[in-house]
Amino acid sequence: MSWLLAVPIAIPFATAVFAFLLRNGAAGRWVSVAGSAALLAASAVLMQAVLAEGVVAGQMGSWPAPFGITLVADLLSAVMVVITAIIALAVSVYALADIGPAEERLGYHALFQVLIAGVTGAFLTGDLFNLYVWFEVMLISSFGLLVLGGRAEQIDGGVKYVALNLVSTILFLTGIGLLYGMTGTLNMADLSIAVDGADQGLLTVVAMLFMIAFGVKAAVFPLFFWLPAAYHTPAFSVSAVFAGLLTKVGVYALIRMFTLVFDHDTGLTHTILLWVACLTMVTGVLGAAAQGDMRRILSFHIVSQIGYMVLGLALLTPLAIVGAVFYLVHHIIVKANLFLIAGVADRLTGGTALSRIGGLYASAPLLAALFLVPAFSLAGFPPLSGFWAKFLLVKAALEIEGWVIAAVALAVGLLTIYSMTKIWAQAFWEPHPEGREPRLSDLPAGQRWAMLAPIMALAALTVFIGLFPEPFVAFAERAAAQLLDPTDYVETVLGDRG
Amino acid sequence: MSHEGYLLLFIAVLPFVGALVPGVMIRAGRTACASFAAVPTALAFILLLMLAPSVMRGEVIQAELEWLPQLGLSASFFLDGLGLLFAGMILGVGLLIILYARFYLSHEDPVGQFYTYLLLFQGAMLGIVLSDNILLLLIFWELTSLSSFLLIGYWKHLPEGRQGARMALAVTGAGGLAMIGGMLILGSIAGSYNLTDILEQGDAIRASDWYMPALILILLGAFTKSAQFPFHFWLPHAMAAPTPVSAYLHSATMVKAGVFLLARMWPVLSGTDAWFYIVATTGLVTMVLGALIALFKDDLKALLAFSTVSHLGLLTMLLGFGTQAAAVAAVFHIINHLTFKAALFMTAGIVDHETHTRDIKRLGGLRHLMPVTFVIGTVAALSMAGIPLFNGFLSKEMMLEEASHTYWAGSAYAVPVMATIGALLSVAYSLRFISHVFLGPQRDDYPHKPHDPPFGMWASPGLLIVLVLLIGVAPFVADGIVATAASAVTGAELHPHLKIWHGVTPALWMSVAAVAGGVVLLSAHAPLDRLWAAAPRPEAKAIFHRLVAAVVGFSRWFTEVTHNGAISRYLAIFTLASVLVGWMAYRGSGLPLPTRGLLPVPPVIAVGWILLIAATAYVVVVHHNRFQSLVLIGIIGLMISAGFVYLSAPDLALTQISVETVTIMLLLLALNFMPQMTPKESSMGRKLRDAIIAVAAGGSVGALAYAFMLRDVETISDYHLANSYEGGGGTNVVNVILVDFRGYDTYGEIIVLGIAGFVIYALMRALLDGPAARRLRTLEFGYNISKDRHPLMMVVVTRVLMPIAVVVGIYIFLRGHNQPGGGFVAGLVIAIALLMQYMASGFFWTQARKKIEYHTLIGIGVVIAGLTGAGAWLYARPFLTSSYTYVHWPPIEEFELATAMLFDLGVFLTVLGAVMLMLYSLSRIARYAGETVNVEPMDYDPGERAEEKVEA
């Protein structure tokens, strides 16, 4: 079974090697597309297995857990890998049109695939130090992607990005060291048992280190500064994959650690998370309201939306976790798509600063229609995926009579509507200030479809989840049940010892 | 599900299916688009009429599909009297609007989109009135906000249209969000989201503790949608929409959704004091205020908009009274308002279309130029004024009748007086609509010479005023539908008899007073208008915009304060946050007691420790001088290596020392291109702040480490010690952990290293292509460069060292599995040997002698390591499962071959390649900055001199 788990990591690595070797020609980009497609197939097989058999685990190097490194997939991991593969495929197709030969020669596709490998690795690992390694893989490759164009603002954003993330990584490493010092193990399943015997007070202190370290990755309040500083600078493909996936790894790690290992003092840890969640929602959406550039607005909305996911974790009721899982999946699709659309808008109108663009509704109605889907899904309008996501969380908050929390979640939704309609009114409705009539048909047919096909596919997915939420909610319920009762997870990883 | 149930589902779905068609017919004409919009609407209308008889008999038709059972949401619909009334209005008026819009819109307008939005909106409205599940209702509710947003902003080139659309969405969207909360609470009180179930639990719900929050939140939704004071301001601004949209949204549909909701929830929520005071008062205030503002509006559509606000207030008030008779009046007025208001909007549209203005001050005397329009407009306006024989009169009388015996806070006069004033104002603005537009002298300064529109355009309002007159003269024709709908609202069997003459009642006198007062008011309109214009009054739109601007301003301030772009501030916040949460956790528990004592501190170690601390502290002091800092960092690294040696970790020490060497060498090279000193950026105050934060953070980490190191712990490392040789084939446990137990980590890390090499290379390339290149070109090295850059002594020494270093490297690599060493260290050692060649003879001399691309080296390394791992799959073992064997090749002694060594080879190659690629990148920059290329191994070659001498 272990190959099921190793393959989703190995495929992007192998793709990266080939893409790198072929970086000087057109073949490299098609290798990237093929690799992403293969990853999607592999992740589907993994998902199938997890659905059929429950948690799947594999011991790398055949060393029994907890002595070697364990890869493990429960439903949450599996769905995250699937969604990663979907985004990877969408973005690598989009990159056919978005990424120029200069960036390709510098190894764009290889860096992209390594990033994807890092993301899937982080979702699949069952070992805390191994998670750190995947964080490193993601950090270095994302830094490379971020500065690939070499423009001054990219370097500036990139340095802030890497500096703040490195500091958080140090904290993560310190946390790992201390946790090992307390429990003598790194295997997450083993940890979940071992922490019971540890000094609970110290454990809470260590939990805080992890909360901060993952909080930086997830871009929660007040640790999100690196994100708006960097995300608007690189190529749109890069923005899209960052927006969709990177912060979600942080959220995933928070969910994993704070359901599996650090659930001993939820009165403190999850109360802090609750505050963090609400403040993240609010500050993110306020930041967005202050922006006048499409990509900057969208970047701040990532922060705001992260708050919702953390909220699900913080409430820690079954329904709230269902909401968090559903939100993760919904958000990745929608957010990546919005950045892809921003890329097309940029190509057609010559920018993303809202005051300098416009006229897309009249001349590119297809793009306008495609924008409406993720934009209003993000704002939580029915019958799109975002509505269910918000609805689940608001319902969860009301169930525990968290009036203020529910009110914050709803009010943030209102400001999200404000931002989305701002983009809509200025980039789409308002005529272009220079009188340009940006048309999709101005793009060469090949490029046009390379950009539109992924956007259409992701939009269709958003609508599909919106119209047929039942299987997705049912899935999220199963995933949440596994998270809240990790018996299957622990037993599968540790075998007889569990 | 019954046969009729399926029909009902079909009705609900039809508009959405129909919406798909016109949108894609981009090039089809107006008639084609209109026809394709009309077909599904007409079909749905006919189906509805087919279902009508059973509903009139008192049956409720139900249909249910599972949708999201986990949340209690099902796609269930039901058709009762209230639903039938509203669905009929939505579809019937929809048809008329489709026809009217065909003639109203011009060639340039994207007509297909218009009809798509219209049908989407129609479907959403239909969904609201047919939903049998409050969550489903909520979904359709939000959909009406969305589709009306698109309709209101349809003329996207008009700034008012865009603003109006966003304002409408903001206000109704906010209400919708409140309603989500309200409905969730309501559902949890009732234990079901099924409307039919909820409607049966009125008493339980009213008695619940959560009744008030649910009521307020749901009312927020209804009031925003129905433009009740103080949320009324969005409606007039939505008038920037094309007139067919206004006619549809503001007569039969959008704004009536709020009223519908009040009616729907009437059996559950009404009957309490809270309901009466909130709903009836809001309605009353809205009615009077809307009518007052309408009187002074010069824009025809604005006048109608505020009159709509006023009439919605009237309906809200009636429902707020909470009596059955008031509910009957409300239902009847819903029908009447629809007929005359839709006709009036269309009339206004016709006037605008023909004269090219909607400004009442520029109109007048149109009765002879547009006789048909005049008749239609007059009939409808008289009905709005509540003149007998028009349908508006009947329901207004019923309203006044109800108002006349309603007590408000103990007062018998408050409501009747206010209602009369509202009716009076209504008479005034209605008559103004007639007299200032159609009557008076004919003018010769209309922006466009008007005449009656084609039949297609006045057919719709024409049909509506026929209804106005029919109901006005023979009200009993509406008996059936009013009875059915009112019974559905109240949940009681009602059989009202609508008639023109109720005898001499208080209501009649109130009516008379209203009409007389209205006429007087209108005759004094001109001076009153001047008074109105001079009077200060709050402008709702301005307040709204100030509110939005305040939120945005606050956001901007907040964002600028926190995101000033300075990385030091970000780090300070990060560190503070970490210390804060750490302290919160510590405060709750405190640190545990130590379980073992401190180790003794020998003097040598104390010296090393002091050196470490001193060097670290000194870096803080001299960090402006980059070179000195680097030297100090070297000392720190060395002391850490020494610490590893002392703590019996030779492998770590070896690795640490090689990493230190390579890092310092590369950093030294990089320093070449940077200023010698960093600029001074921090003020004294900030330094103090940062110092406090740093000491707090450092102290916390120190305390934590102290606490941990004084505790005993059982770890998994015993297993590693026990299994290193048995399972991994090596006695050096550290190396076996690296390449076997945790080889997967190492695999990830060598990829990180390799990528780091690439990224540095890519950055260098990007830099040299960018503006930084220019700065490099003109870079002046601020110090003297040695004349003898490649001295003989150094060249010779490095050449001699080269084979030694390579042998050492290979040795370290080979013994790594059993003794301290391994691929990582070996790669660094050989990299150092090569680095020295580059330093001695210059990069390009050395470069010319290398046989393999560094990129490739990294690639090969990663592939070897990867394939070694994947090789295990061939034996059906997990990734990286290792294997070893002993080989005996005479004359060599028996030795061990482990697959882990192959993996280590991959590590070795990657490390070597990455370091060399970094060096290569640095030297490219140097080249660019003007460093000359040497073709000879050294600048001064004594051998050459000797040869020359010989030749001479």
Side-chain angles (χ1 to χ4, degrees):
Chain A
M1 289 307 281
S2 78
W3 65 272
L4 268 180
L5 295 153
V7 162
I9 307 171
I11 287 176
F13 271 146
T15 312
V17 170
F18 285 114
F20 187 74
L21 293 177
L22 299 168
R23 67 188 183 279
N24 288 323
R29 51 187 96 126
W30 291 104
V31 167
S32 178
V33 173
S36 303
L39 176 62
L40 185 57
S43 63
V45 175
L46 175 65
M47 173 61 96
Q48 186 66 38
V50 178
L51 279 174
E53 298 165 27
V55 179
V56 175
Q59 316 296 347
M60 294 300 96
S62 300
W63 296 107
F67 306 111
I69 291 170
T70 307
L71 294 186
V72 49
D74 61 355
L75 285 168
L76 176 63
S77 296
V79 74
M80 294 311 285
V81 171
V82 169
I83 205 77
T84 302
I86 290 174
I87 297 301
L89 183 58
V91 172
S92 50
V93 171
Y94 187 87
L96 294 175
D98 186 44
I99 299 301
E103 284 151 330
E104 287 189 329
R105 273 197 295 279
L106 289 175
Y108 166 83
H109 296 298
L111 285 173
F112 174 76
Q113 291 292 339
V114 171
L115 176 66
I116 297 297
V119 173
T120 52
F123 290 145
L124 287 176
T125 189
D127 185 283
L128 203 50
F129 187 80
N130 196 234
L131 181 64
Y132 163 81
V133 171
W134 296 122
F135 272 24
E136 293 273 273
V137 170
M138 284 189 302
L139 181 59
I140 192 71
S141 51
S142 57
F143 176 65
L145 289 169
L146 202 51
V147 296
L148 212 53
R151 282 178 292 115
E153 54 164 356
Q154 282 185 303
I155 308 280
D156 181 56
V159 166
K160 281 172 193 153
Y161 172 81
V162 96
L164 289 164
N165 274 287
L166 268 181
V167 176
S168 94
T169 310
I170 291 171
L171 212 57
F172 184 16
L173 204 54
T174 312
I176 293 176
L178 294 176
L179 200 55
Y180 184 81
M182 268 174 93
T183 60
T185 183
L186 293 168
N187 184 294
M188 294 189 211
D190 199 26
L191 275 170
S192 89
I193 298 171
V195 288
D196 293 341
D199 181 90
Q200 300 295 296
L202 267 184
L203 191 64
T204 312
V205 178
V206 175
M208 293 304 172
L209 296 184
F210 282 94
M211 191 189 289
I212 294 279
F214 295 148
V216 171
K217 291 281 167 194
V220 300
F221 177 88
L223 310 167
F224 60 78
F225 303 107
W226 55 271
L227 189 148
Y231 271 23
H232 62 283
T233 58
F236 285 89
S237 314
V238 176
S239 284
V241 77
F242 282 15
L245 296 177
L246 282 194
T247 48
K248 262 52 82 187
V249 179
V251 177
Y252 166 84
L254 276 175
I255 293 179
R256 179 65 75 208
M257 289 303 283
F258 283 83
T259 56
L260 185 63
V261 179
F262 299 124
D263 57 347
H264 60 284
D265 187 9
T266 52
L268 180 67
T269 51
H270 287 64
T271 305
I272 293 179
L273 281 174
L274 192 60
W275 278 98
V276 164
C278 289
L279 288 167
T280 307
M281 285 192 271
V282 173
T283 47
V285 86
L286 287 180
Q291 304 301 315
D293 181 284
M294 204 163 159
R295 265 212 278 188
R296 282 174 183 269
I297 293 176
L298 294 177
S299 297
F300 273 100
H301 274 297
I302 301 174
V303 175
S304 157
Q305 305 284 310
I306 293 294
Y308 284 95
M309 298 166 219
V310 177
L311 175 64
L313 170 65
L315 294 175
L316 206 65
T317 63
L319 188 66
I321 301 287
V322 171
V325 172
F326 192 96
Y327 215 111
L328 267 169
V329 173
H330 138 76
H331 176 79
I332 291 173
I333 298 170
V334 160
K335 200 80 224 192
N337 204 10
L338 281 170
F339 274 92
L340 295 182
I341 292 168
V344 181
D346 174 74
R347 187 71 79 85
L348 294 180
T349 60
T352 52
L354 289 176
S355 58
R356 291 208 296 273
I357 64 173
L360 284 166
Y361 177 81
S363 51
L366 177 62
L367 189 69
L370 287 172
F371 173 78
L372 276 184
V373 171
F376 280 92
S377 181
L378 190 78
F381 266 87
L384 298 161
S385 56
F387 174 75
W388 305 116
K390 282 212 177 75
F391 187 84
L392 285 164
L393 287 173
V394 171
K395 189 169 190 293
L398 286 176
E399 273 183 3
I400 60 155
E401 293 177 8
W403 307 107
V404 179
I405 302 162
V408 168
L410 289 171
V412 168
L414 185 66
L415 280 165
T416 313
I417 298 175
Y418 170 81
S419 289
M420 289 302 119
T421 58
K422 181 156 93 180
I423 296 178
W424 175 255
Q426 297 194 17
F428 288 87
W429 268 349
E430 214 166 271
H432 196 284
E434 293 160 23
R436 276 164 66 173
E437 291 192 355
R439 278 171 212 291
L440 283 170
S441 53
D442 296 343
L443 298 170
Q447 293 206 358
R448 184 163 74 235
W449 289 110
M451 291 176 115
L452 286 182
I455 294 175
M456 285 170 154
L458 294 180
L461 209 52
T462 305
V463 173
F464 183 80
I465 298 176
L467 290 178
F468 305 102
E470 199 278 330
F472 296 90
V473 173
F475 177 89
E477 282 179 335
R478 286 181 61 188
Q482 281 184 347
L483 287 169
L484 290 172
D485 177 18
T487 319
D488 187 17
Y489 184 95
V490 172
E491 282 177 2
T492 311
V493 170
L494 297 180
D496 299 336
R497 266 187 83 244
Chain B
M1 206 176 351
S2 68
H3 158 74
E4 289 178 322
Y6 282 110
L7 277 186
L8 185 61
L9 271 184
F10 194 54
I11 293 172
V13 170
L14 255 177
F16 292 109
V17 177
L20 298 174
V21 183
V24 295
M25 303 197 327
I26 297 169
R27 287 183 183 78
R30 287 176 291 175
T31 311
C33 286
S35 313
F36 274 103
V39 169
T41 312
L43 193 57
F45 193 56
I46 293 167
L47 292 175
L48 189 75
L49 291 180
M50 284 167 60
L51 296 179
S54 358
V55 178
M56 301 286 268
R57 277 197 305 274
E59 288 174 32
V60 173
I61 297 164
Q62 284 181 311
E64 184 171 355
L65 286 181
E66 287 283 287
W67 195 3
L68 194 52
Q70 296 98 323
L71 292 187
L73 167 67
S74 59
S76 43
F77 297 95
F78 77 133
L79 186 68
D80 65 348
L82 186 64
L84 178 69
L85 170 67
F86 270 90
M89 293 185 343
I90 291 161
L91 291 169
V93 179
L95 267 178
L96 299 178
I97 295 290
I98 289 168
L99 172 68
Y100 178 76
R102 152 67 187 84
F103 292 93
Y104 183 86
L105 294 173
S106 80
H107 291 291
E108 290 99 63
D109 294 318
V111 179
Q113 288 168 12
F114 178 85
Y115 283 113
T116 293
Y117 299 155
L118 197 73
L119 284 180
L120 272 181
F121 179 76
Q122 191 183 68
M125 274 309 298
L126 212 51
I128 291 181
V129 302
L130 297 181
S131 292
D132 189 13
N133 182 297
I134 51 173
L135 301 184
L136 186 68
L137 189 150
L138 208 57
I139 289 169
F140 286 116
W141 188 273
E142 295 286 70
L143 262 183
T144 58
S145 298
L146 181 57
S147 48
S148 64
F149 168 73
L150 294 169
L151 277 171
I152 296 169
Y154 175 71
W155 276 336
K156 60 215 172 276
H157 50 277
L158 300 177
E160 313 88 74
R162 298 195 297 265
Q163 283 174 13
R166 289 183 67 189
M167 193 192 287
L169 185 66
V171 178
T172 59
L177 291 172
M179 223 173 86
I180 292 181
M183 291 299 192
L184 280 172
I185 298 172
L186 187 65
S188 68
I189 301 173
S192 162
Y193 295 112
N194 208 312
L195 200 47
T196 328
D197 295 343
I198 292 172
L199 288 180
E200 285 166 5
Q201 300 191 41
D203 292 331
I205 290 168
R206 282 188 293 271
S208 159
D209 287 345
W210 306 120
Y211 168 74
M212 272 310 281
L215 175 70
I216 290 172
L217 289 172
I218 291 173
L219 287 181
L220 272 176
F223 286 174
T224 49
K225 202 73 153 188
S226 278
Q228 295 299 297
F229 178 83
F231 309 111
H232 62 285
F233 56 90
W234 69 265
L235 192 145
H237 294 285
M239 289 298 147
T243 302
V245 174
S246 314
Y248 197 35
L249 263 57
H250 304 140
S251 66
T253 54
M254 169 100 158
V255 295
K256 289 274 173 68
V259 175
F260 169 82
L261 190 72
L262 293 179
R264 192 42 108 204
M265 293 295 163
W266 198 88
V268 180
L269 298 178
S270 80
T272 61
D273 277 354
W275 169 272
F276 171 76
Y277 281 109
I278 299 176
V279 179
T281 314
T282 307
L284 187 62
V285 171
T286 310
M287 175 171 85
V288 176
L289 203 70
L292 182 68
I293 300 172
L295 183 58
F296 297 104
K297 284 291 168 190
D298 289 332
D299 178 356
L300 272 184
K301 278 176 78 175
L303 185 155
L304 292 176
F306 279 102
S307 112
T308 303
V309 170
S310 166
H311 281 271
L312 291 167
L314 187 159
L315 290 169
T316 305
M317 178 184 77
L318 281 174
L319 291 167
F321 286 165
T323 62
Q324 291 186 346
V328 172
V331 168
F332 191 34
H333 194 69
I334 287 170
I335 301 173
N336 296 337
H337 178 248
L338 155 79
T339 52
F340 66 72
K341 191 51 65 67
L344 281 171
F345 268 116
M346 290 194 232
T347 308
I350 292 172
V351 170
D352 185 19
H353 202 259
E354 296 301 325
T355 64
H356 291 193
T357 182
R358 300 194 312 238
D359 188 347
I360 296 181
K361 294 233 158 74
R362 301 182 64 183
L363 292 167
L366 292 177
R367 66 184 179 284
H368 294 303
L369 293 166
M370 308 173 75
V372 177
T373 316
F374 168 57
V375 171
I376 294 172
T378 308
V379 170
L382 288 175
S383 176
M384 178 159 76
I387 305 299
L389 297 185
F390 301 98
N391 61 358
F393 168 74
L394 303 169
S395 44
K396 187 196 67 178
E397 282 291 291
M398 291 161 78
M399 178 276 284
L400 291 174
E401 171 67 30
E402 290 306 309
S404 70
H405 47 72
T406 300
Y407 284 78
W408 195 89
S411 157
Y413 294 102
V415 176
V417 168
M418 291 295 283
T420 312
I421 292 174
L424 183 153
L425 290 166
S426 181
V427 171
Y429 68 68
S430 302
L431 295 181
R432 179 168 179 242
F433 183 89
I434 301 171
S435 67
H436 290 193
V437 175
F438 296 105
L439 303 182
Q442 194 169 321
R443 300 166 69 150
D444 47 13
D445 61 346
Y446 304 118
H448 185 263
K449 181 81 178 154
H451 52 74
D452 266 324
F455 170 72
M457 203 156 172
W458 63 260
S460 296
L463 184 68
L464 286 168
I465 60 153
V466 169
L467 285 175
V468 167
L469 289 168
L470 182 66
I471 300 173
V473 177
F476 54 85
V477 294
D479 268 0
I481 183 67
V482 171
T484 317
S487 304
V489 170
T490 55
E493 196 78 359
L494 295 179
H495 297 284
H497 292 286
L498 307 169
K499 47 192 185 193
I500 299 176
W501 183 248
H502 292 263
V504 181
T505 57
L508 188 67
W509 291 115
M510 287 156 79
S511 250
V512 170
V515 173
V519 172
V520 172
L521 207 57
L522 181 61
S523 60
H525 184 266
L528 285 176
D529 196 29
R530 279 192 294 277
L531 202 65
W532 175 263
R537 56 185 182 278
E539 190 66 48
K541 185 190 177 191
I543 295 171
F544 176 79
H545 282 304
R546 270 206 296 280
L547 196 69
V548 172
V551 171
V552 171
F554 172 75
S555 312
R556 194 159 291 150
W557 169 81
F558 180 81
T559 313
E560 273 165 16
V561 167
T562 47
H563 292 71
N564 66 346
I567 200 165
S568 57
R569 179 170 296 191
Y570 300 163
L571 285 173
I573 294 174
F574 164 86
T575 316
L576 263 181
S578 311
V579 174
L580 185 72
V581 291
W583 182 75
M584 283 168 77
Y586 166 74
R587 203 191 47 170
S589 57
L591 291 178
L593 294 172
T595 57
R596 65 183 187 201
L598 276 173
L599 294 176
V601 184
V604 181
I605 295 310
V607 169
W609 186 78
I610 288 169
L611 261 177
L612 185 67
I613 300 289
T616 311
Y618 202 52
V619 171
V620 176
V621 179
V622 299
H623 73 275
H624 285 296
N625 187 320
R626 289 177 159 145
F627 181 72
Q628 284 184 27
S629 309
L630 211 53
V631 173
L632 289 166
I633 290 171
I635 295 176
I636 296 171
L638 213 59
M639 286 304 115
I640 291 175
S641 311
F644 284 141
V645 172
Y646 175 69
L647 295 169
S648 327
D651 245 306
L652 295 188
L654 203 56
T655 311
Q656 179 73 33
I657 218 159
S658 356
V659 169
E660 282 296 327
T661 314
V662 171
T663 316
I664 297 288
M665 277 167 119
L666 288 174
L667 280 172
L668 274 173
L669 288 173
L671 263 194
N672 254 331
F673 315 109
M674 303 179 83
Q676 292 292 293
M677 306 282 283
T678 60
K680 286 194 165 51
E681 280 159 345
S682 299
S683 63
M684 207 50 220
R686 183 174 298 171
K687 275 185 186 160
L688 194 68
R689 179 200 76 180
D690 292 349
I692 292 170
I693 296 174
V695 168
S700 312
V701 173
L704 260 181
Y706 181 81
F708 272 88
M709 280 189 254
L710 291 181
R711 292 170 58 76
D712 293 304
V713 67
E714 272 181 36
T715 72
I716 53 171
S717 55
D718 295 338
Y719 175 90
H720 293 146
L721 286 169
N723 283 280
S724 173
Y725 188 71
E726 288 288 305
T731 52
N732 177 3
V733 185
V734 175
N735 184 270
V736 176
I737 288 177
L738 279 176
V739 299
D740 202 334
F741 287 121
R742 301 192 66 91
Y744 207 52
D745 283 341
T746 311
Y747 187 57
E749 286 296 349
I750 61 170
I751 286 168
V752 171
L753 192 62
I755 296 285
F758 288 146
V759 170
I760 291 173
Y761 173 77
L763 258 179
M764 175 273 294
R765 289 283 301 269
L767 277 179
L768 297 188
D769 292 340
R774 213 177 320 121
R775 270 212 306 282
L776 266 181
R777 279 250 183 249
T778 55
L779 183 71
E780 297 264 341
F781 292 103
Y783 44 91
N784 290 330
I785 298 174
S786 164
K787 297 273 186 320
D788 188 9
R789 287 188 313 157
H790 305 293
L792 170 71
M793 283 303 288
M794 180 138 173
V795 171
V796 172
V797 169
T798 55
R799 291 292 182 284
V800 173
L801 270 176
M802 178 74 188
I804 301 173
V806 170
V807 170
V808 168
I810 293 173
Y811 173 68
I812 286 180
F813 175 78
L814 286 178
R815 73 179 211 145
H817 218 44
N818 295 312
Q819 300 287 321
F824 190 84
V825 180
L828 287 174
V829 166
I830 295 199
I832 292 169
L834 288 171
L835 256 171
M836 291 196 301
Q837 307 304 314
Y838 284 70
M839 288 178 115
S841 292
F843 192 83
F844 284 85
W845 183 87
T846 325
Q847 186 73 358
R849 278 151 189 80
K850 63 140 199 170
K851 299 282 183 288
I852 187 160
E853 280 284 336
Y854 301 130
H855 288 96
T856 320
L857 210 56
I858 298 176
I860 292 174
V862 171
V863 168
I864 287 180
L867 286 181
T868 310
W873 284 340
L874 296 178
Y875 299 93
R877 306 300 305 274
F879 190 71
L880 277 175
T881 304
S882 71
S883 167
Y884 63 91
T885 180
Y886 291 93
V887 187
H888 186 74
W889 281 343
I892 312 174
E893 268 187 67
E894 187 182 70
F895 64 96
E896 178 201 358
L897 271 182
T899 55
M901 284 189 82
L902 206 56
F903 182 79
D904 218 9
L905 179 65
V907 175
F908 167 79
L909 293 175
T910 312
V911 170
L912 183 60
V915 174
M916 297 318 285
L917 190 58
M918 292 174 196
L919 179 67
Y920 172 73
S921 305
L922 280 172
S923 72
R924 275 289 299 269
I925 297 177
R927 240 337 263 298
Y928 216 85
E931 198 174 297
T932 50
V933 174
N934 57 320
V935 285
E936 298 296 328
M938 53 200 104
D939 293 340
Y940 175 75
D941 187 344
E944 273 177 25
R945 186 66 59 86
E947 276 170 32
E948 278 167 21
K949 268 189 184 159
V950 172
E951 278 171 26

